[in-house]
């Protein structure tokens, strides 16, 4: 595969994200102080609430102005801001190899994942990157600092998309490992049973994680623009179908719409973030949208 | 189900095309690695089956679509059942009426090179015979005109034997008659047939055949018509006659009439085969036109039989015209002497008789009978070639009528005038004169130097008169005419009158008018020495010779050589000969002859020379001598007489006949739409449209 780091689309994205920040809307747990709100109260300039003084509380936090007005001892509490651990899971199945050159799904998803990594690392967050098909094909553990960027890129470049899409089962096995209140970003074409994918997502949500599903599709998969007589070969199994695409176009589009609706419903029910990325379109638009919305 | 145009069923082979395209497309399908489709199909296994089903359905639609077109063109119909319909496989009696007539020689336009329709007729008949269920009986009737014949004299239990025999039969050169043959077939079936009876007519149907068949009663019999007709019009160039005219140099000129019976212009070569000598002339003919082609033969070009050919066309039998050297034997001349005299040289026909005696020296035979007007009876006129009325007064009305009929039948009549030609003469011979008699001109100042009128002009353009252009004509010009009859001028409509000789004052002297197949000539002065000194001139003999030639057929090889195959004709034999035997040599060895004696006349009747060609007749006499005659048989096909019936018309009649003889219950239900012979190709066309609609739906709405 061509190196992702010299990719024009990536360079462009990285240029765009220079002044941006990506915040977690929910609470995240981190080790270090950072720019993301923690569920814990701590030292910051942002007031959280008052709490009745109980022995053992730090006397420095007593709000003496309240005591003067009400003769009761209350302490002032402030939000604690912490760093974030983003776990980015990239679909590395065979179907992600569809698309010519720059619009190849795996390549585009990789570029997008690198842009996100750069954003997180620049904010001081920690980024873990995994490439998964029906097994984990490559993994870079969570580390902070921009120095981590190149190791992530190197791992993505060295991984070839192959095998069946089975992110659901793989994620199932990792839910416990992911820990609580982490940001989980999944880039996949969801060419597997959506329910199988949403089950671990719901589990992660229950554990307080921010979960974002980035649905990566090529324009051909949405429009089915083929003609003549084609021998459609699966990129994940041995199956094939020789037919005239015009004959089945309307049926294909109907089935594809139904599949997308299933995913949309699953997203809503699982309360996860969702963004669709068309690899034959600009990648900036979905990135801007993501930054605008923030992590769920 | 039967088909009006079964040839189009060959188009069903095209059904393989969509299947081949489908298979080739599958093989040549462009590979595309695309997981989405497989994923969607994997999620719904029924969908994959449905897709396959739809694809097969579409292939089926396309195949049916391609099949529907030839099926619709073949125009299927439901044949009419009749009361005699046999269950499938049941033994039956079948009589096949086979047309082996002249039309069977026509080229079958289904193949490129020449192949007669007969080949297809035989194939069809043999096919019918080969498909008969076991236990069936069959017969083949040939639809020969006048006398239909059987291949075997009874219904045979061995159809294969019939089939083998049929393959050796050749078509005839005579026209066919399906009506009589169908009648014979019906009789045969009623006498010997099994319970289930069929008549199958395999023929080149004409419109008249169809009309005749429609009138027949086929009750209790299944009638099937198998048209062996040509689709394109027959392109036929033919030779209709050959005339032999003596040319002024003593040779012969052959004049043949080439006819183009084609809606297009045609170019052909006319070839004269005279022994080993071959002469060709190219002829360009306009559509449906004819042209005269002349071949000049020198005095040394002697021949007995010869033939003239045109190039090959769709009907070869009439491309060759056979003919023989014209002979003057047995020219039978009746002279009616209106003014017999006891002194010979004063007799009206003395000089005429002398001239004919002179002609006998150079001709094989010239039979001359001279009778008085009282001896002129209707019976006397029979079998004459030329009749000369020399200075007669009046004619009995019956005799005049008989003469007129004889002329119309081909006899030549010469009327000469004399001292008995008055108004009564003019009235009683009104119909036999070229023009009505007006008056007699002239004076008695005969034999004086300035007496009489000279001959002014001999119109050598007139057919026959050309022979007077030589020394004979010059001699006649020297003659003086002292008295002559003046006829009324012809009306502008009477364009068929030709004037051979005109006097110097412009009065016509010798005129000719054709009448029916014969001709009338009027000589406006006496045939003897009374009114003219012409008999004293040497040209007189030549004039008589030319007149006899012309009146007996104008030097044409006459109607006698225009014998059609199968036609009967008579050869006049000399009287008082004792015949030992007769031999005929020619292309048909089955020719029959009979000797017939009518009064004093002796005739050899030749019957059924069925094959065109030249024939030689040898009459062996009891005294050891031999008489030799020649005749030619030629085919003439007339498109105008025979209009080919369309296949639709044949099927229509077949259905109509079938319907006519179906049970009464059917006839009582005129509103019934499900009738025998219902064409169902409309239904197929509708199916075609429906299939197209389904194709479109399948293509765009799967």
């Amino acid at each position: 595969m061509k190196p992702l780091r010299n990719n024009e689309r990536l360079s462009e994205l990285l240029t765009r994200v220079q002044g941006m920040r990506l915040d977690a809307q929910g609470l995240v747990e981190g080790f270090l102080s950072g720019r993301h709100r923690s569920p814990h109260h701590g030292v910051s300039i942002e007031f959280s609430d008052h709490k009745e003084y109980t022995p053992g509380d730090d006397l420095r936090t007593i709000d003496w102005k309240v005591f003067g007005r009400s003769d009761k001892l209350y302490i002032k509490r402030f939000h604690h801001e912490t760093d974030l651990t983003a776990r980015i899971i990239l679909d590395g199945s065979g179907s992600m190899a569809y698309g010519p050159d720059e619009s190849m799904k795996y390549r585009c998803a990789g570029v997008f994942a690198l842009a996100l990594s750069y954003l997180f690392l620049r904010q001081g967050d920690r980024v873990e990157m995994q490439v998964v098909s029906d097994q984990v094909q490559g993994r870079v553990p969570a580390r902070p600092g921009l120095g981590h960027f190149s190791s992530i890129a190197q791992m993505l470049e060295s991984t070839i998309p192959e095998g069946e899409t089975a992110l659901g089962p793989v994620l199932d096995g990792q839910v416990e490992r992911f820990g609580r209140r982490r940001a989980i970003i999944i880039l996949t074409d969801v060419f597997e049973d959506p329910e199988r994918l949403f089950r671990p997502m719901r589990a992660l949500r229950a554990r307080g994680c921010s979960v974002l599903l980035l649905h990566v599709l090529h324009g051909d998969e949405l429009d089915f623009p083929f003609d003549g007589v084609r021998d459609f070969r699966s990129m994940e199994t041995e199956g094939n179908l020789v037919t005239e695409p015009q004959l089945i176009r309307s049926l294909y589009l109907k089935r594809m719409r139904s599949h997308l609706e299933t995913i949309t419903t699953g997203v809503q029910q699982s309360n996860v973030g969702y963004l669709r990325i068309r690899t034959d379109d600009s990648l900036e638009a979905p990135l801007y949208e993501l930054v605008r919305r923030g992590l769920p | 189900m039967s088909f009006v145009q079964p040839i189009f069923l060959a188009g069903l082979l095209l059904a393989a095309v969509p299947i081949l395209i489908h298979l080739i497309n599958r093989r040549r399908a462009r590979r595309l690695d695309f997981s989405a489709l497989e994923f969607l199909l994997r999620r719904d296994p029924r969908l994959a089956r449905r897709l396959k089903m739809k694809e097969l359905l579409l292939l089926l639609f396309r195949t049916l679509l391609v099949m529907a077109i030839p099926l619709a063109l073949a125009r299927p119909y439901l044949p009419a059942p009749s009361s005699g319909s046999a269950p499938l496989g049941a033994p039956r009696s079948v009589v096949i009426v086979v047309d082996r007539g002249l039309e069977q020689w026509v080229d079958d336009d289904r193949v490129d090179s020449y192949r007669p329709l007969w080949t297809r007729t035989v194939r069809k008949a043999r096919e019918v015979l080969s498909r008969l269920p076991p236990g069936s009986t069959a017969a083949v009737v040939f639809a020969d005109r006048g006398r239909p014949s059987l291949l075997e004299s009874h219904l045979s239990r061995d159809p294969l034997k019939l089939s083998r025999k049929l393959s050796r039969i050749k078509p005839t050169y005579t026209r066919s008659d399906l009506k009589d043959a169908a009648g014979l077939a019906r009789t045969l079936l009623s006498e010997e047939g099994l319970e289930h009876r069929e008549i199958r007519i395999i023929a080149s149907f004409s419109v008249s055949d169809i009309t005749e068949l429609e009138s027949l009663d086929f009750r209790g019999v299944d009638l099937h018509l198998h048209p062996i007709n040509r689709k394109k019009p027959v392109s036929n160039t033919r030779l209709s006659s050959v005339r032999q005219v003596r040319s002024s140099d003593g040779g012969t000129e052959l004049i043949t009439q080439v006819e183009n019976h084609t809606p297009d212009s045609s170019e052909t070569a006319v070839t004269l085969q005279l022994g080993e000598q071959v002469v060709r002339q190219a002829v360009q003919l306009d559509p449906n036109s004819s042209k005269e082609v002349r071949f000049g033969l020198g005095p040394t070009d002697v021949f007995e039989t010869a033939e003239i050919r045109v190039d090959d066309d769709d009907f070869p039998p009439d491309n060759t015209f056979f003919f023989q050297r014209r002979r003057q034997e047995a020219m039978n001349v009746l002279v009616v002497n209106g003014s017999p005299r006891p002194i010979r040289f004063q007799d009206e026909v003395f000089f005429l008789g002398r001239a004919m005696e002179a002609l006998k020296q150079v001709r094989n035979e010239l039979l001359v009978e001279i009778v008085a007007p009282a001896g002129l009876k209707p019976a006397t006129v029979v079998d004459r070639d030329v009749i000369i009325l020399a200075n007669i007064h009046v004619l009995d009305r019956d005799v005049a009528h008989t003469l007129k009929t004889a002329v119309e039948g081909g006899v030549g009549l010469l009327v000469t005038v004399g001292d008995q030609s008055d108004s009564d003469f003019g009235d009683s011979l009104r119909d036999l004169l070229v023009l009505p008699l007006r008056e007699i001109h002239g004076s008695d100042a005969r034999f004086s130097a300035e007496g009489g009128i000279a001959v002014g002009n001999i119109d050598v353009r007139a057919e026959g008169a050309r022979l007077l252009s030589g020394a004979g004509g010059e001699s006649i010009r020297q003659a003086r005419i002292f008295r002559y009859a003046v006829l009324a001028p012809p009306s502008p409509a009477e364009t068929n009158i030709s004037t051979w000789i005109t006097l110097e004052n412009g009065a016509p002297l010798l005129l000719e008018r054709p009448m029916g197949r014969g001709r009338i000539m009027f000589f406006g002065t006496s045939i003897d020495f009374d009114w003219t000194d012409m008999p004293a001139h040497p040209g007189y003999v030549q004039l008589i010779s030319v007149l006899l030639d012309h009146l007996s057929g104008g030097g044409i090889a006459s109607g006698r050589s225009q014998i059609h195959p199968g036609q009967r004709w008579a050869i006049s034999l000399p009287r008082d000969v004792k015949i030992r035997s007769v031999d005929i040599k020619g292309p048909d060895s089955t020719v029959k002859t009979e000797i017939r004696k009518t009064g004093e006349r002796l005739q050899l009747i030749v019957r059924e020379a069925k094959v065109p060609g030249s024939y030689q007749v040898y009459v062996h006499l009891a005294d050891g001598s031999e008489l030799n005659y020649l005749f030619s048989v030629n085919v003439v096909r007339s498109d105008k007489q025979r209009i080919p019936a369309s296949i639709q018309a044949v099927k229509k009649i077949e259905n109509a006949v079938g319907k006519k003889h179906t049970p009464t219950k059917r006839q009582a239900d005129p509103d019934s739409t499900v009738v025998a012979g219902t064409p169902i190709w409309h239904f197929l066309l509708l199916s075609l449209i429906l299939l197209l609609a389904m194709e479109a739906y399948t293509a765009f709405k799967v």
Side-chain angles (χ1 to χ4, degrees):
Chain A
M1 188 191 279
K2 285 183 192 172
L4 288 173
R5 284 165 287 188
N6 297 337
N7 190 292
E8 277 182 23
R9 297 181 91 175
L10 178 63
S11 311
E12 205 169 319
L13 276 183
L14 294 183
T15 312
R16 300 284 180 198
V17 301
Q18 283 301 329
M20 294 181 186
R21 46 176 288 189
L22 181 61
D23 295 329
Q25 284 178 359
L27 305 173
V28 293
E29 286 186 0
F31 298 109
L32 304 171
S33 288
R35 59 184 310 137
H36 307 282
R37 281 194 300 175
S38 164
H40 308 291
H41 293 89
V43 183
S44 74
I45 55 168
E46 193 177 349
F47 172 75
S48 169
D49 56 7
H50 284 100
K51 175 182 168 283
E52 210 169 337
Y53 174 79
T54 52
D57 287 338
D58 189 351
L59 291 176
R60 288 176 298 175
T61 60
I62 293 173
D63 192 336
W64 295 110
K65 288 179 183 173
V66 175
F67 177 74
R69 284 198 296 272
S70 62
D71 255 356
K72 288 182 180 174
L73 285 171
Y74 285 94
I75 59 168
K76 278 170 82 175
R77 297 204 298 187
F78 295 87
H79 284 298
H80 178 72
E81 288 188 342
T82 183
D83 64 340
L84 174 140
T85 300
R87 298 188 192 278
I88 301 175
I89 296 154
L90 181 60
D91 183 354
S93 66
S95 62
M96 290 294 284
Y98 181 76
D101 298 332
E102 294 306 315
S103 66
M104 189 215 265
K105 287 196 299 186
Y106 178 78
R107 194 167 177 77
C108 287
V111 165
F112 203 88
L114 277 177
L116 284 178
S117 304
Y118 179 78
L119 202 56
F120 285 124
L121 292 172
R122 212 172 52 83
Q123 290 175 173
D125 296 329
R126 295 154 24 112
V127 175
E128 177 190 292
M129 181 70 72
Q130 284 190 47
V131 177
V132 176
S133 56
D134 50 354
Q135 60 185 353
V136 178
Q137 289 181 299
R139 179 171 175 268
V140 180
R143 284 203 187 92
L146 281 171
H148 189 44
F149 181 81
S150 59
S151 54
I152 293 172
Q154 198 175 7
M155 188 274 288
L156 291 179
E157 284 166 4
S158 62
T159 308
I160 296 167
E162 59 187 2
E164 273 191 70
T165 313
L167 265 66
V170 175
L171 283 178
D172 258 340
Q174 294 196 11
V175 169
E176 289 299 323
R177 191 182 67 79
F178 280 166
R180 300 174 66 82
R181 299 180 193 277
R182 298 286 192 271
I184 314 294
I185 300 167
I186 303 166
L187 293 104
T188 175
D189 52 15
V190 200
F191 285 158
E192 64 180 311
D193 181 1
E195 183 49 36
R196 202 168 68 172
L197 184 63
F198 284 123
R199 200 169 44 243
M201 282 186 180
R202 280 196 294 273
L204 287 168
R205 283 298 291 161
R207 295 172 71 87
C209 294
S210 285
V211 180
L212 174 64
L213 175 63
L214 295 175
H215 195 178
V216 183
L217 286 171
H218 192 277
D220 291 351
E221 291 166 335
L222 291 167
D223 302 333
F224 203 66
F226 309 111
D227 56 11
V229 179
R230 301 290 185 126
D231 179 4
F232 290 102
R233 297 285 177 116
S234 170
M235 300 164 86
E236 298 183 359
T237 64
E238 294 298 313
N240 79 313
L241 176 72
V242 181
T243 188
E244 294 174 44
Q246 302 98 305
L247 289 182
I248 58 166
R249 184 168 183 273
S250 59
L251 185 69
Y252 172 90
L253 294 178
K254 194 174 159 190
R255 295 284 157 178
M256 180 54 89
R257 263 197 310 275
S258 161
H259 177 61
L260 293 178
E261 277 166 18
T262 309
I263 292 170
T264 311
T265 310
V267 163
Q268 286 167 356
Q269 288 172 351
S270 310
N271 194 23
V272 297
Y274 177 78
L275 253 180
R276 191 179 299 158
I277 299 170
R278 265 184 82 128
T279 62
D280 52 341
D281 268 358
S282 159
L283 294 178
E284 290 168 27
L287 187 63
Y288 282 140
E289 180 63 20
L290 178 59
V291 171
R292 188 185 63 77
R293 286 195 212 165
L295 293 172
Chain B
M1 187 168 66
S2 299
F3 298 90
V4 177
Q5 303 273 18
I7 184 85
F8 285 109
L9 291 180
L12 289 177
L13 293 174
L14 292 176
V17 173
I19 297 168
L20 281 176
I21 291 175
H22 175 78
L23 293 175
I24 291 169
N25 275 346
R26 282 188 77 84
R27 200 169 263 200
R28 290 190 175 175
R30 277 185 290 161
R31 179 184 167 142
L32 181 67
D33 293 326
F34 188 76
S35 279
L37 180 63
E38 195 268 342
F39 163 69
L40 293 176
L41 295 179
R42 189 162 19 107
R43 285 199 68 200
D44 186 353
R46 280 181 314 166
L47 185 64
R49 282 201 299 274
R50 209 171 127 201
L51 266 181
K52 286 250 178 216
M53 187 70 81
K54 292 230 166 180
E55 200 168 296
L56 284 174
L57 209 59
L58 187 64
L59 179 64
L60 185 69
F61 285 159
R62 285 171 179 173
T63 310
L64 287 176
L65 192 69
V66 173
M67 288 170 75
I69 294 167
L71 272 175
L73 287 173
R75 287 192 278 181
Y77 67 94
L78 296 172
S82 79
S83 55
S85 289
L88 203 66
R92 63 201 70 196
S93 289
V94 180
V95 178
I96 306 171
V97 175
V98 175
D99 169 12
R100 61 166 178 176
L102 197 58
E103 283 305 303
Q104 294 292 319
W105 289 103
V106 169
D107 179 32
D108 188 351
D109 52 354
R110 288 188 182 180
V111 287
D112 289 339
S113 57
Y114 172 75
R115 195 176 71 185
L117 287 174
W118 175 246
T119 311
R120 185 143 55 101
T121 302
V122 171
R123 197 190 311 141
K124 185 71 204 173
R126 297 186 72 185
E127 184 186 312
V128 170
L129 288 168
S130 67
R131 289 184 180 172
L132 287 179
S136 299
T137 58
V140 174
V141 175
F142 295 118
D144 299 340
R145 178 165 288 260
R147 198 168 59 185
S149 57
L150 281 157
L151 187 59
E152 280 195 354
S153 59
H154 55 274
L155 278 165
S156 166
R157 291 202 169 273
D158 188 355
L160 290 179
K161 187 179 164 196
L162 281 179
S163 179
R164 279 196 301 274
K165 274 188 165 184
L166 189 60
S167 65
R168 293 194 287 269
I169 301 293
K170 292 243 179 306
T172 66
Y173 293 90
T174 54
R175 291 180 63 197
S176 55
D177 184 345
L178 297 179
K179 189 181 174 187
D180 285 356
L184 176 63
R186 216 180 37 214
T187 309
L188 197 65
L189 283 175
S190 62
E191 287 173 359
E192 303 176 30
L194 301 173
E195 186 189 352
H196 302 299
R197 297 161 183 181
E198 278 182 21
I199 292 179
R200 290 180 176 267
I201 304 180
I202 306 171
S204 298
F205 289 95
S206 71
V207 171
S208 59
D209 289 335
I210 294 293
T211 316
E212 286 178 355
L213 285 176
E214 205 176 9
S215 65
L216 290 180
D217 180 6
F218 289 100
R219 210 166 300 163
V221 175
D222 257 353
L223 177 68
H224 299 274
L225 306 182
H226 302 280
I228 306 290
N229 284 36
R230 192 184 149 93
K231 279 185 196 157
K232 296 180 198 159
V234 176
S235 166
N236 188 22
T237 310
R238 72 162 188 239
L239 296 158
S240 61
S241 66
V242 173
R243 289 182 294 158
Q244 297 171 48
V245 178
R246 230 173 285 126
S247 54
S248 53
D249 63 355
T252 307
E253 192 168 35
L254 299 177
I255 306 166
T256 183
Q257 199 72 21
V258 190
E259 298 175 358
N260 176 24
H261 293 267
T262 312
D264 307 312
S265 55
S266 158
E267 190 175 344
T268 188
V270 183
T271 308
L272 167 68
Q273 177 92 40
L274 209 65
E276 291 182 357
Q277 190 182 345
V278 176
V279 187
R280 283 169 72 87
Q281 282 190 45
V283 187
Q284 183 78 38
L285 291 156
D286 292 333
N288 295 313
S289 69
S290 65
K291 203 174 256 184
E292 223 173 51
V293 176
R294 292 168 181 262
F295 293 95
L297 303 180
T300 55
D301 292 325
V302 179
F303 66 95
E304 284 293 306
T305 58
E307 59 188 61
I308 296 184
R309 294 188 299 272
V310 288
D311 286 347
D312 291 343
D313 56 18
D314 292 337
F315 185 72
D318 64 0
N319 287 355
T320 306
F321 194 95
F322 301 94
F323 61 101
Q324 68 280 345
R325 182 169 63 86
R326 188 174 70 89
R327 293 178 177 187
Q328 282 76 39
E329 76 270 20
M331 186 192 289
N332 199 327
V333 183
L334 175 69
V335 180
V336 183
N337 185 356
S339 180
R341 301 282 169 82
I343 302 170
R344 284 182 60 211
F345 67 87
Q346 288 181 345
D347 190 276
E348 185 71 28
V349 297
F350 172 72
F351 293 99
L352 177 64
R354 290 287 296 272
M356 289 200 277
E357 283 299 318
L359 290 175
K360 280 185 182 176
Q361 304 300 315
V362 293
R363 298 193 171 199
N364 285 353
E365 193 168 353
L366 183 63
L367 304 173
V368 182
E369 187 176 1
I370 301 173
V371 295
L376 183 60
K377 307 280 185 211
T380 328
V381 175
V382 174
D383 291 334
R384 305 293 181 178
D385 296 311
V386 178
I387 298 171
I388 300 173
L389 302 180
N391 189 20
I392 63 162
H393 186 210
V394 288
L395 268 185
D396 182 68
R397 186 179 292 176
D398 288 346
V399 175
H401 179 73
T402 307
L403 277 176
K404 189 183 174 195
T405 310
V407 172
E408 286 171 343
V411 172
L413 176 70
L414 173 66
V415 181
T416 68
V417 292
D419 51 8
Q420 300 200 82
S421 305
D422 55 13
S423 57
D424 290 342
F425 162 78
D427 289 343
S428 68
L429 273 83
R430 174 177 292 275
D431 292 338
L432 299 172
L433 297 179
V434 175
L435 289 164
L437 180 69
R438 181 176 279 185
E439 55 190 349
I440 304 294
H441 272 225
S443 67
D444 288 330
R446 56 193 304 175
F447 305 121
S448 62
E450 66 283 358
I453 300 169
V455 170
N457 180 44
I458 298 174
D459 187 357
V460 292
R461 288 172 303 172
E463 188 74 51
R466 289 190 304 133
L467 297 178
L468 296 172
S469 60
E474 284 307 309
S475 168
I476 288 168
R477 278 181 216 278
Q478 305 300 316
R480 310 288 294 180
I481 288 86
F482 310 106
R483 299 191 77 179
Y484 58 93
V486 177
L487 302 179
S491 69
E494 290 175 303
T495 54
N496 57 348
I497 296 170
S498 58
T499 306
W500 284 30
I501 302 175
T502 318
L503 297 178
E504 63 181 359
N505 64 1
L509 183 69
L510 183 59
L511 299 102
E512 184 212 2
R513 186 174 76 182
M515 181 186 279
R517 288 171 59 196
R519 56 194 58 164
I520 296 172
M521 297 198 77
F522 180 79
F523 189 56
T525 189
S526 66
I527 199 74
D528 69 349
F529 220 63
D530 283 357
W531 288 9
T532 175
D533 65 356
M534 198 178 286
H537 293 273
Y540 180 78
V541 177
Q542 187 175 350
L543 176 64
I544 298 301
S545 172
V546 168
L547 286 176
L548 288 178
D549 270 349
H550 191 65
L551 287 166
S552 66
I556 301 171
S558 84
R560 292 177 175 189
S561 69
Q562 297 277 40
I563 303 165
H564 306 320
Q567 187 185 351
R568 199 184 78 155
W569 79 288
I571 301 169
S572 289
L573 298 172
R575 294 173 196 175
D576 305 326
V577 290
K578 287 189 178 174
I579 298 165
R580 190 158 47 90
S581 62
V582 178
D583 280 341
I584 294 191
K585 286 185 180 168
D588 185 359
S589 57
T590 64
V591 181
K592 296 183 178 75
T593 58
E594 74 178 81
I595 306 293
R596 184 179 290 174
K597 193 167 186 181
T598 316
E600 293 187 341
R601 291 174 61 78
L602 197 60
Q603 286 183 315
L604 175 68
I605 310 293
V606 180
R607 289 192 285 122
E608 296 179 17
K610 290 175 186 164
V611 182
S614 292
Y615 291 79
Q616 282 189 306
V617 183
Y618 300 96
V619 181
H620 305 289
L621 303 178
D623 61 4
S625 62
E626 185 183 84
L627 297 172
N628 184 10
Y629 300 91
L630 294 168
F631 70 95
S632 303
V633 176
N634 287 301
V635 170
V636 173
R637 177 181 182 272
S638 172
D639 288 325
K640 286 176 187 163
Q641 287 171 11
R642 191 186 184 287
I643 303 160
S646 66
I647 290 172
Q648 290 89 330
V650 174
K651 289 295 170 193
K652 199 173 154 192
I653 293 303
E654 187 181 45
N655 294 327
V657 171
K659 249 163 69 174
K660 198 163 71 179
H661 303 300
T662 46
T664 324
K665 194 177 164 191
R666 289 179 66 86
Q667 290 177 345
D669 185 14
D671 294 332
S672 169
T673 51
V674 187
V675 292
T678 307
I680 54 174
W681 59 277
H682 303 103
F683 164 74
L684 265 174
L685 270 183
L686 188 67
S687 309
L688 190 72
I689 294 163
L690 276 174
L691 281 169
L692 271 172
M694 287 172 84
E695 160 91 350
Y697 175 80
T698 316
F700 298 110
K701 288 284 178 187
V702 176

